[in-house]
C-alpha cells in the first residue's frame, strides 16, 4: 500500500485552476458520471473524476505528473453529462494550462504567455527581429516583379527559422524531460521511445478523437488543422532544403506540385481553424468557458493561415502596397506561434504525445479496450 | 335480546351468474327459519338499501345479514345504527369472483358462507355505548421544539394543555444553538429559528399550563382519565388529562465511547460542544486557547456503525455545514475539512450543501478515519483510508469535531419492569438457582434503574416499551406517532432523529392523534387501528384462574392486576384486538360481537361431506388487517383458487383460541390454515405480536394432534403482507393439494 499522502492544499493552485477555466470545480460531488461517459477513460486509468477532487484539494504535485490529464482530448462529453454542472472538461483544460506553465523553461515565460497584458511585449519581439531582417542589407540577385525576397531574403529567413526551430526544440526538450521524470515517478512506466511510433500513428489517425461523441466539429476541425500543418511541415522542409542546396528558387511557380500541395494545406488549415472558431462562438458552453489561453493559440493559428493565403494572393496580383505589410504580419504571427510554442496551448503536441506513449499498453489491448468501451458507454446509449 | 334476523342476498356484480341465489335463500329460510329473507339484483342501490331500512323501521327485523360484497366495500351504503347487529357475508370477492361459476363446489361454498354468517348474527349482541366522563386535556412531556409546538398546536385547536419540562427553562437543544440550519427558501442561510417568540407564546397562552423543573412521579389510569402526579420541589400535585404527547427529545451519543476517533484528546470535541463554544464566543483550540486556522469534521462519528449507533441521525451533516460557515465567518482563510461516509442533505437541503461546497477552502472527502493522534507540532493528525483518491491520507489540523448522533430520551419500560421483578426475586430468595438467575438479570439491566419518565402504574411496566434502538414505536409503517400504550403519542427526536423543522410538523401530527383519541374515547370508540369500534372485551372473572396470560400477552398493557392477582381491565387502553380472548385457556373473555362460542358455532355450521366424496374442507382463519384484504384482492384480480376453503375473518390471529382448531378437526375438517401479518424484526402485525402468539400456540396444538393420530401438517400458519396477494392462490392450492395427499380427516362423520 502507498504511504499516506500528507495533505497540504496548494490554495494558489486551486485559485489558478478556477481562474483558468475551472470556475465550477467545487461543484463536483464525485459521482463519477464523467469517468463513466468518457470514451477515452479506461479501466486501468480512468479520468477525470479523480483529477477533479485532486484539483479541489489543491494537490498540484499529483496533477502535474498525471498523464491522464493529457489523455483527455477536451471533447466535452463529461461536461455535457455532469449532473452538477461542474464542467470537468474545462477543469481538465485548466489543469493542462497549469502543467504547461509548470514545465515551461524558463518559468516566467509560462506565466507571460497566458497573461493578456503581456501580449504587446510578446508581439514586440518577433516584430523587432523581422524588422531587423527587413532592413539588414543582403546582396541579392535581381528578381522578376515584386517578390517577398526583396524584403525578406530567403537566406535570412532560413537562418531565422532554423534558429527559432532549434531554440524551440531545445526549450521544449527541457520541459518534456522534466515532465517525463515526473511521469515516471508517478508510475507511468510505458516504454516511451518504442511506444512513440504506434502512439504517433494513433494520433495521426485521430482514433481517440473520433471516439468523442458530443463534439464532432472539434474532431473535424482538429483533423484538418493537424493534417494541413503536417503537410506544410513536409513541404516547408522540402522547399527549405531545396533552396539551401540551390535546386529550388522561391517563389515556386503556382503549378509546381509543391506549391499545389502547400496551397491545399493552407486552405485545409484555414478551414479547420474556422470550424474550431465557429464552434467556440456558437456553442454556449464553449463560448462562456473559453479563456485567453484558448483563444490566443486558436486565433494566432487561424491568422497565420489567413495571412498566408492573403500574402500569396496579393503577390500573385502583384500589389506592392499591401503584399509586404501583410507578409510582415504573416511572418510575425508564424514567429509568435513557434517562439512561444513551448508556453502556449501549442505545447500539447509534445506533452500529449509523451503522455500517450508513457501510458502505452500495447496497440491491440488499447484498441480492444477502446472498442469494447465504445459499445457500452452512457454517451452512446443516450444519444 | 329477541333477535329478528333479516337476510338480504344481492345477486348483482355477477353473484347471481355464479351461484344460485334462490337456493341460498332456501338455506336461510328452511335451515335457519329466518323471519325475513329477500334477494335483490342491486342491493347497494337506493331501492335495495330501502328494503333493509323498511324492515328495520317496521320492526320486522332488528338484526341484519347482508350477503353481498366484501364487508370492506359499500360501507357508506350499508350504514345503520353502529350498535345494531350487522353481519356481512362475502359472496362477491371471496366466492363469485374467484371460483368457477355455476359449479357444485362454488354453490356449496356460498351456502356455507351464508350459514356461518347467519349463525354469527345469531350469536352477536347489540353493542352499547355508555362512555364515562373523559378529560380532553393533553399532557405534553418535554418543552423543547417538539413539546412547544405540540402545546401550541393543541391549545390553538381548543384543548387544555399541561406542559411539563424537566429543566429550568423551555427550549431544549434548539434554544442553545448559535444559529439554526436553513429553514426557508432558498435554504442557503443559517439563521434564527423564531423559537424565542414561540416560547413566549406558550408561556402566555391562557390554555397552556407550564411547569418547568418538574418531573412526573406517577401516571395512573387510562386514556381519557390519566391522573398524572407532578413534582417540582414542593408538594406533589395531580392533573387529570386525556392523552399524553411524549416529546422528551434526544441526548448526544456518549462520545467517551469514541476514543478510537480521538475523543479524549484536548483538541477533539463533539458537534454539540463545538456549537456551545461557537454560541458563547470565538472558536478556539482547547489546548492553546488560540483561534483555529483549520478544522476537520468527522461525519458519522459513531453512527451507521455496527459497534455504536446503527442508524443515521439525519441532522449532523446539515449542522456540520452550518458549523463550517461559523469557522469561515471567524476566519476567511481557514481550511475546513469534512470527512464523510455520505453527505445526507435530502430535498431542499441540497442547496445548502452546494453553497458550502462551493467555497474553495472547504475540502470534502469521502473516507474512513483510521486514527486521530497528536502530532509532533502539537496539531492533531487525522489519518484516513478508503478515500476517493484511492490512497491513505494524513491531514494535520488545529481542531477535530466529531459529528455524533442522537439518542432518544426514552425509558425502556419492559427492561425496567424486568429489573424490578428480578430485584423482587432476589429479595424473596426462594431458591439458590432462582436467586442466581435473578441476580444475573439484575446485572444485565441495572443501567435502567431510575430512568422512568412517565412512571406508569401499568402492570406491564412503568414506561413505554421501546423497539429498535430505544425508540418507542408501535407499527410505524401504518401509524406514526403511536406508541405501544394507547393514548400516548411520541413526537420529535424521541420518535426518530430529526431536525427542528420536522419536529414541529411531527408535534402537529401527534397532537392530532391525541385529540382524535380523546374525542373517540368520549364516544366509547376505539381509536386505532379499529377506529370507531364500540365493542370491548368482558371478563367472566368467576372462572378466572389468574394464570395471567391475558395480562402478559396484551400488547398494550390494558390489563393490570388487582391485590388478589386477578386481571383488572382498563377499557380505554384496549384496542379491541382480542388477543386476550385467544390467550385465555378458560375462555372467559368475550366481546358482544366476537366470542369463542361465536366462532366455534360458525365452524359447526359448515357442512362437511363425508369421506366417500372427494371434497376436502379446509378452514382459513384470516386476520382482518392484511390477510382478509389480500384475499379480497385475489378476487378483484379474478384469480381463482380451490373452492374447498371456508374463510373466517378474525380481528387478529392472536385472538385465535386453540379450541377452534380442536372443534374444526373434530368436525372432520381436513386442515386449518392461519393467514396473518408478518411477525419478527420487521413486523407488520398491527397488534405487534398477534401472529407470533398464534404461531407459538400452534406448537402446543401440534402435540395434541400427534396424540390424536393426526398429522401436524394439517395446520399451517402463513405470514403474508397485503401486497403478496399474487401468491395467495398458489399458497392455498398447495395446501389443499397437500391435504389431499394426507388423505381425508379420519374424524369425518363422527
Amino acid at each position: 500500500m502507498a504511504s499516506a499522502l500528507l495533505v497540504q492544499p496548494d490554495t494558489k493552485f486551486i485559485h489558478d485552476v478556477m481562474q483558468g477555466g475551472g470556475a465550477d470545480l467545487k461543484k463536483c460531488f464525485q459521482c463519477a458520471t464523467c469517468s463513466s461517459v468518457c470514451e477515452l477513460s479506461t479501466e486501468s486509468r480512468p479520468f477525470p473524476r479523480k483529477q477533479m477532487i485532486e484539483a479541489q484539494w489543491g494537490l498540484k504535485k499529483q496533477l502535474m505528473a498525471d498523464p491522464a490529464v493529457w489523455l483527455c482530448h477536451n471533447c466535452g462529453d463529461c461536461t455535457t453529462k455532469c449532473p452538477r454542472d461542474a464542467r470537468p472538461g474545462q477543469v481538465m483544460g485548466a489543469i493542462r494550462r497549469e502543467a504547461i506553465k509548470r514545465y515551461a523553461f524558463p518559468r516566467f515565460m509560462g506565466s507571460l504567455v497566458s497573461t493578456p497584458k503581456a501580449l504587446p511585449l510578446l508581439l514586440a519581439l518577433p516584430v523587432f527581429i523581422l524588422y531587423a531582417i527587413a532592413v539588414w542589407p543582403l546582396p541579392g540577385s535581381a528578381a522578376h516583379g515584386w517578390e517577398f525576397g526583396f524584403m525578406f531574403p530567403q537566406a535570412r529567413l532560413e537562418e531565422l527559422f532554423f534558429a527559432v526551430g532549434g531554440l524551440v526544440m531545445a526549450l521544449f526538450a527541457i520541459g518534456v524531460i522534466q515532465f517525463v521524470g515526473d511521469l515516471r515517478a508517478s508510475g507511468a512506466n510505458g516504454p516511451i521511445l518504442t511506444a512513440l511510433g504506434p502512439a504517433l500513428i494513433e494520433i495521426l489517425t485521430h482514433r481517440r478523437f473520433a471516439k468523442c461523441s458530443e463534439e464532432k466539429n472539434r474532431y473535424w476541425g482538429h483533423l484538418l488543422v493537424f493534417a494541413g500543418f503536417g503537410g506544410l511541415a513536409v513541404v516547408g522542409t522540402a522547399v527549405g532544403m531545396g533552396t539551401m542546396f540551390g535546386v529550388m528558387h522561391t517563389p515556386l511557380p503556382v503549378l509546381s506540385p509543391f506549391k499545389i500541395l502547400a496551397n491545399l494545406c493552407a486552405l485545409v488549415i484555414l478551414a479547420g481553424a474556422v470550424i474550431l472558431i465557429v464552434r467556440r462562438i456558437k456553442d454556449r458552453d464553449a463560448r462562456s468557458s473559453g479563456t485567453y489561453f484558448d483563444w490566443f493559440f486558436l486565433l494566432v493559428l487561424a491568422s497565420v493561415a489567413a495571412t498566408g493565403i492573403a500574402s500569396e494572393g496579393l503577390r500573385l496580383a502583384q500589389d506592392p502596397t499591401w503584399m509586404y505589410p501583410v507578409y510582415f504580419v504573416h511572418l510575425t504571427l508564424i514567429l509568435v506561434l513557434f517562439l512561444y510554442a513551448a508556453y502556449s496551448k501549442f505545447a500539447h503536441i509534445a506533452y500529449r504525445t509523451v503522455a500517450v506513449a508513457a501510458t502505452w499498453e500495447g496497440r491491440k489491448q488499447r484498441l480492444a479496450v477502446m472498442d469494447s468501451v465504445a459499445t457500452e458507454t452512457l454517451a452512446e446509449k443516450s444519444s | 335480546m329477541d333477535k329478528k334476523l333479516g337476510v338480504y342476498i344481492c345477486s348483482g356484480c355477477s353473484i347471481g351468474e355464479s351461484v344460485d341465489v334462490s337456493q341460498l335463500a332456501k338455506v336461510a329460510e328452511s335451515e335457519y327459519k329466518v323471519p325475513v329473507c329477500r334477494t335483490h339484483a342491486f342491493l347497494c342501490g337506493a331501492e335495495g338499501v330501502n328494503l333493509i331500512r323498511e324492515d328495520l323501521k317496521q320492526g320486522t327485523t332488528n338484526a341484519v345479514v347482508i350477503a353481498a360484497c366484501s364487508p370492506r366495500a359499500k360501507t357508506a351504503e350499508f350504514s345503520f345504527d353502529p350498535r345494531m347487529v350487522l353481519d356481512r357475508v362475502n359472496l362477491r370477492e371471496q366466492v363469485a369472483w374467484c371460483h368457477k361459476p355455476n359449479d357444485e363446489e362454488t354453490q356449496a361454498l356460498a351456502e356455507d358462507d351464508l350459514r356461518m354468517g347467519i349463525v354469527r348474527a345469531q350469536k352477536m349482541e347489540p353493542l352499547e355505548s355508555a362512555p364515562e366522563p373523559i378529560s380532553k386535556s393533553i399532557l405534553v412531556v418535554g418543552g423543547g421544539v417538539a413539546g412547544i409546538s405540540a402545546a401550541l398546536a393543541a391549545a390553538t385547536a381548543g384543548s387544555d394543555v399541561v406542559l411539563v419540562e424537566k429543566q429550568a427553562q423551555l427550549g431544549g437543544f434548539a434554544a442553545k444553538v448559535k444559529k439554526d440550519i436553513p429553514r426557508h427558501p432558498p435554504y442557503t442561510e443559517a439563521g434564527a429559528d423564531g423559537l424565542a417568540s414561540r416560547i413566549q407564546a406558550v408561556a402566555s397562552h391562557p390554555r397552556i399550563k407550564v411547569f418547568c423543573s418538574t418531573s412526573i412521579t406517577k401516571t395512573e389510569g387510562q386514556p381519557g382519565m390519566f391522573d398524572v402526579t407532578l413534582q417540582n420541589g414542593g408538594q406533589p400535585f395531580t392533573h387529570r388529562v386525556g392523552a399524553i404527547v411524549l416529546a422528551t427529545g434526544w441526548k448526544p451519543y456518549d462520545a467517551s465511547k469514541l476514543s478510537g476517533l480521538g475523543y479524549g484528546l484536548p483538541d477533539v470535541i463533539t458537534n454539540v460542544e463545538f456549537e456551545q463554544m461557537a454560541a458563547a464566543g470565538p472558536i478556539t483550540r482547547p489546548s492553546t486557547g488560540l483561534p483555529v486556522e483549520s478544522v476537520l469534521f468527522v461525519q458519522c462519528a459513531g453512527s451507521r456503525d455496527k459497534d455504536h449507533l446503527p442508524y443515521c441521525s439525519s441532522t449532523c451533516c446539515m449542522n456540520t455545514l452550518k458549523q463550517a460557515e461559523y469557522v469561515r465567518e471567524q476566519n476567511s482563510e481557514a481550511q475546513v475539512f469534512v470527512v464523510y461516509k455520505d453527505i445526507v442533505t435530502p430535498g431542499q437541503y441540497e442547496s445548502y450543501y452546494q453553497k458550502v461546497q462551493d467555497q474553495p477552502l472547504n475540502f470534502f472527502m469521502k473516507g474512513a478515519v483510521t486514527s486521530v493522534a497528536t502530532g509532533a507540532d502539537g496539531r492533531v493528525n487525522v489519518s484516513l483510508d478508503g478515500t476517493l483518491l484511492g490512497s491513505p491520507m494524513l491531514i494535520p489540523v488545529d481542531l477535530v469535531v466529531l459529528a455524533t448522533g442522537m439518542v432518544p430520551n426514552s425509558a425502556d419500560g419492559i427492561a425496567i419492569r424486568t429489573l424490578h421483578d428480578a430485584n423482587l426475586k432476589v429479595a424473596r430468595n426462594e431458591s439458590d438457582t432462582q436467586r442466581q438467575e435473578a441476580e444475573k438479570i439484575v446485572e444485565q439491566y441495572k443501567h435502567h434503574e431510575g430512568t422512568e419518565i412517565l412512571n406508569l402504574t401499568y402492570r406491564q411496566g412503568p414506561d413505554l416499551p421501546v423497539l429498535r434502538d430505544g425508540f418507542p414505536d408501535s407499527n410505524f409503517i401504518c401509524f406514526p406517532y403511536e406508541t405501544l400504550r394507547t393514548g400516548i403519542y411520541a413526537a420529535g427526536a424521541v420518535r426518530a432523529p430529526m431536525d427542528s423543522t420536522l419536529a414541529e410538523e411531527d408535534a402537529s401530527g401527534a397532537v392530532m392523534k391525541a385529540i382524535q383519541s380523546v374525542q373517540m374515547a368520549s364516544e366509547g370508540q376505539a381509536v386505532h387501528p379499529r377506529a370507531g369500534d364500540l365493542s370491548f372485551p368482558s371478563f367472566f372473572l368467576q372462572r378466572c384462574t389468574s394464570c395471567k396470560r391475558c395480562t402478559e400477552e396484551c400488547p398494550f398493557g390494558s390489563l393490570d392486576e388487582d391485590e388478589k392477582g386477578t386481571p383488572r381491565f382498563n377499557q380505554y387502553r384496549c384496542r379491541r384486538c382480542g388477543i386476550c380472548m385467544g390467550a385465555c385457556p378458560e375462555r372467559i373473555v368475550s366481546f358482544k360481537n366476537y366470542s369463542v362460542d361465536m366462532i366455534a358455532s360458525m365452524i359447526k355450521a359448515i357442512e362437511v361431506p363425508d369421506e366417500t366424496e372427494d371434497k376436502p374442507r379446509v378452514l382459513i382463519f384470516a386476520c382482518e388487517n392484511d390477510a382478509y384484504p389480500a384475499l379480497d384482492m385475489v378476487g378483484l384480480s379474478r384469480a381463482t383458487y380451490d373452492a374447498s376453503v371456508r374463510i373466517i375473518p378474525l380481528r387478529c390471529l392472536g385472538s385465535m383460541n386453540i379450541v377452534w382448531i380442536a372443534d374444526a378437526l373434530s368436525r372432520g375438517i381436513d386442515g386449518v390454515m392461519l393467514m396473518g401479518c408478518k411477525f419478527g424484526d420487521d413486523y407488520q402485525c398491527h397488534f405487534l405480536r398477534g401472529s407470533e402468539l398464534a404461531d407459538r400456540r400452534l406448537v402446543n396444538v401440534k402435540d395434541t394432534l400427534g396424540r390424536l393420530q393426526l398429522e401436524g401438517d394439517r395446520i399451517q400458519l402463513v405470514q403474508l403482507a397485503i401486497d403478496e396477494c399474487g401468491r395467495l392462490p398458489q399458497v392455498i392450492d398447495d395446501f389443499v393439494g397437500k391435504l389431499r395427499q394426507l388423505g381425508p380427516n379420519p374424524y369425518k362423520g363422527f
Side-chain angles (χ1 to χ4, degrees), chain A residues 12-199:
Chain A
K12 179 172 184 306
F13 176 70
I14 298 172
H15 174 81
D16 287 342
V17 167
M18 290 178 81
Q19 291 288 93
D24 297 312
L25 168 66
K26 287 292 288 169
K27 293 188 178 152
C28 168
F29 65 169
Q30 295 287 290
C31 68
T33 299
C34 52
S35 293
S36 309
V37 303
C38 174
E39 299 276 5
L40 302 177
S41 177
T42 60
E43 269 182 49
S44 50
R45 200 176 286 276
F47 59 88
R49 178 208 51 92
K50 191 167 159 191
Q51 286 72 21
M52 289 295 277
I53 194 161
E54 284 173 331
Q56 282 183 352
W57 279 62
L59 300 176
K60 178 170 183 178
K61 215 162 130 290
Q62 280 72 12
L63 279 169
M64 296 294 93
D66 185 358
V69 165
W70 292 101
L71 296 179
C72 163
H73 280 51
N74 201 17
C75 66
D77 283 8
C78 53
T79 294
T80 312
K81 293 288 194 281
C82 174
R84 272 288 189 94
D85 239 355
R87 308 262 208 96
Q90 276 66 21
V91 173
M92 290 293 266
I95 297 173
R96 285 191 287 274
R97 173 173 167 251
E98 293 308 307
I100 290 173
K101 278 160 63 179
R102 152 90 183 80
Y103 292 109
F105 185 82
R107 192 67 76 95
F108 72 86
M109 284 306 292
S111 319
L112 216 59
V113 173
S114 61
T115 314
K117 289 209 187 100
L119 187 57
L121 189 64
L122 293 173
L123 288 174
L125 179 60
V127 164
F128 176 75
I129 296 174
L130 288 168
Y131 186 71
I133 292 180
V135 302
W136 193 355
L138 181 75
S141 50
H144 321 284
W146 293 108
E147 280 184 15
F148 290 122
F150 282 155
M151 189 183 277
F152 302 106
Q154 184 65 18
R156 289 272 185 263
L157 285 182
E158 279 159 27
E159 286 156 21
L160 173 64
F161 282 109
F162 275 118
V164 168
L167 180 65
V168 164
M169 297 284 233
L171 294 171
F172 239 142
I174 295 174
V176 169
I177 287 170
Q178 256 196 306
F179 179 49
V180 170
D182 287 347
L183 280 182
R184 292 287 190 233
S186 78
N189 289 320
I192 293 185
L193 288 175
T194 46
L196 260 181

Side-chain angles (χ1 to χ4, degrees), chain B residues 454-669:
Chain B
L454 294 173
N455 272 299
L456 303 169
T457 56
Y458 284 34
R459 174 66 190 98
Q460 279 193 12
D463 219 295
L464 305 175
V466 293
L467 294 174
R468 274 224 272 235
D469 303 314
F471 293 96
D473 185 37
S474 171
N475 186 342
F476 76 95
I477 301 164
C478 300
F479 311 110
Y481 317 120
E482 263 190 40
T483 64
L484 277 177
R485 296 290 172 258
T486 308
I488 305 180
Y489 299 93
V494 74
R495 181 179 81 74
M498 60 178 74
D499 60 46
S500 46
T501 308
L502 276 174
E504 285 170 35
E505 265 182 37
D506 226 47
S508 297
V511 162
M512 281 197 261
K513 288 302 293 187
I515 292 176
Q516 183 191 30
S517 76
V518 292
Q519 181 57 34
M520 295 183 91
S522 72
E523 293 168 28
Q525 298 172 0
V527 60
H528 49 63
R530 306 199 94 241
D533 192 346
L534 287 169
S535 72
F536 52 87
S538 58
F539 295 77
F540 191 59
L541 288 172
Q542 275 91 312
R543 285 203 359 247
C544 172
T545 60
S546 297
C547 73
K548 314 266 176 65
R549 253 178 249 188
C550 59
T551 313
E552 293 298 323
E553 290 186 358
C554 173
F556 312 109
S558 307
L559 293 146
D560 295 334
E561 280 166 20
D562 67 11
E563 315 74 41
K564 285 178 278 172
T566 42
R568 188 172 54 206
F569 177 61
N570 297 279
Q571 178 194 330
Y572 294 92
R573 296 185 200 169
C574 176
R575 298 197 195 177
R576 331 298 162 98
C577 59
I579 284 178
C580 48
M581 187 172 97
C584 183
E586 297 300 315
R587 302 188 287 282
I588 68 167
V589 185
S590 62
F591 296 73
K592 280 205 154 81
N593 58 359
Y594 186 53
S595 65
V596 175
D597 179 42
M598 183 174 99
I599 306 287
S601 307
M602 285 167 75
I603 296 172
K604 293 195 185 89
I606 299 173
E607 281 242 339
V608 182
D610 68 36
E611 67 273 15
T612 57
E613 306 184 59
D614 179 27
K615 289 185 190 163
R617 286 292 174 257
V618 179
L619 189 56
I620 296 183
F621 288 113
C623 93
E624 68 184 7
N625 280 306
D626 274 13
Y628 196 88
L631 284 162
D632 271 357
M633 273 151 48
V634 173
L636 277 166
S637 61
R638 305 297 198 278
T640 54
Y641 51 92
D642 199 304
S644 340
V645 301
R646 304 290 179 261
I647 296 167
I648 294 184
L650 297 182
R651 296 183 181 195
C652 178
L653 277 193
S655 66
M656 191 201 66
N657 200 289
I658 318 269
V659 74
W660 297 334
I661 298 187
D663 284 346
L665 290 172
S666 59
R667 286 276 300 151
I669 286 176

Side-chain angles (χ1 to χ4, degrees), chain B residues 662-739:
Chain B
D663 284 346
L665 290 172
S666 59
R667 286 276 300 151
I669 286 176
D670 300 282
V672 178
M673 176 182 274
L674 279 66
M675 226 183 247
C677 313
K678 290 186 177 176
F679 56 86
D681 272 343
D682 282 323
Y683 72 97
Q684 289 187 4
C685 175
H686 291 47
F687 300 107
L688 178 63
R689 50 173 175 247
S691 43
E692 190 180 348
L693 286 168
D695 194 50
R696 253 191 269 153
R697 292 174 200 154
L698 278 187
V699 171
N700 300 330
V701 169
K702 296 217 164 145
D703 291 339
T704 318
L705 286 176
R707 273 182 276 126
L708 292 172
Q709 306 278 334
L710 282 172
E711 301 85 339
D713 280 351
R714 290 187 186 271
I715 318 290
Q716 187 182 12
L717 185 134
V718 170
Q719 294 178 61
L720 52 69
I722 200 168
D723 59 318
E724 289 179 303
C725 46
R727 73 179 178 105
L728 262 187
Q730 190 65 48
V731 165
I732 294 173
D733 289 348
D734 283 349
F735 187 56
V736 178
K738 189 167 63 174
L739 291 173

Side-chain angles (χ1 to χ4, degrees), chain B residues 112-433:
Chain B
D112 273 342
D113 279 349
L114 187 60
R115 289 186 187 105
M116 290 198 287
I118 293 172
V119 163
R120 188 163 141 171
Q122 285 174 342
K123 295 284 177 180
M124 279 166 80
E125 291 299 311
L127 299 170
E128 277 159 19
S129 160
E132 296 167 50
I134 299 290
S135 161
K136 295 206 180 154
S137 299
I138 312 284
L139 171 71
V140 177
V141 184
V145 177
I148 288 168
S149 305
L152 282 174
T156 312
S159 302
D160 287 324
V161 179
V162 176
L163 176 61
V164 175
E165 165 58 51
K166 191 170 64 176
Q167 294 183 359
Q169 66 287 321
L170 297 176
F173 271 102
K176 300 190 193 132
V177 296
K178 179 181 162 98
K179 291 185 199 177
D180 198 5
I181 61 178
R183 291 163 65 88
H184 307 289
Y187 297 95
T188 53
E189 300 307 314
D193 56 6
L195 188 61
S197 61
R198 278 182 286 139
I199 293 178
Q200 185 56 35
V202 163
S204 57
H205 202 293
R207 278 199 280 271
I208 304 177
K209 289 199 183 71
V210 181
F211 298 104
C212 287
S213 305
T214 303
S215 57
I216 302 174
T217 51
K218 199 161 59 161
T219 304
E220 259 189 294
Q222 49 183 320
M225 25 185 121
F226 284 119
D227 287 316
V228 184
T229 307
L230 302 172
Q231 165 92 29
N232 67 353
Q235 275 288 83
F237 51 100
T238 307
H239 275 280
R240 170 162 283 208
V241 297
I244 301 177
V245 173
L246 183 75
T248 46
W250 59 284
K251 51 181 180 276
Y253 182 68
D254 180 7
S256 66
K257 300 197 175 114
L258 297 174
S259 53
L261 290 176
Y263 195 74
L265 293 175
D267 293 324
V268 179
I269 60 177
T270 66
N271 48 3
V272 174
E273 290 163 352
F274 182 91
E275 189 75 33
Q276 285 167 349
M277 174 167 46
I283 301 164
T284 56
R285 300 188 73 200
S287 61
T288 60
L290 297 171
V292 293
E293 315 237 310
S294 58
V295 183
L296 187 142
F297 291 87
V298 180
Q299 298 310 108
C300 288
S303 295
R304 303 174 68 200
D305 187 333
K306 59 175 167 44
D307 297 326
H308 302 279
L309 298 177
Y311 54 86
C312 162
S313 289
S314 88
T315 62
C316 336
C317 282
M318 281 301 279
N319 276 298
T320 288
L321 295 173
K322 175 190 70 171
Q323 290 173 345
E325 290 204 309
Y326 294 168
V327 177
R328 185 82 33 223
E329 266 170 35
Q330 182 176 297
N331 178 352
S332 58
E333 296 305 308
Q335 294 184 347
V336 174
F337 300 90
V338 178
V339 177
Y340 59 87
K341 292 182 187 170
D342 296 287
I343 295 285
V344 179
T345 50
Q348 304 279 18
Y349 288 163
E350 183 78 355
S351 305
Y352 195 46
Y353 175 36
Q354 287 176 348
K355 179 206 181 191
V356 177
Q357 209 197 353
D358 234 17
Q359 224 289 341
L361 295 176
N362 290 342
F363 302 98
F364 287 81
M365 176 63 71
K366 183 177 170 102
V369 174
T370 49
S371 84
V372 177
T374 315
D377 54 358
R379 300 179 83 197
V380 187
N381 285 343
V382 181
S383 300
L384 314 179
D385 207 347
T387 68
L388 287 166
L389 292 182
S391 55
M393 298 166 74
L394 176 63
I395 311 179
V397 289
D398 289 343
L399 177 67
V400 172
V401 180
L402 302 179
T404 51
M406 297 170 142
V407 171
N409 272 332
S410 59
D412 187 340
I414 305 295
I416 300 173
R417 182 217 168 159
T418 309
L419 174 64
H420 288 167
D421 286 351
N423 275 327
L424 279 175
K425 272 216 181 89
V426 170
R428 278 207 301 266
N429 202 351
E430 280 171 4
S431 83
D432 268 348
T433 34

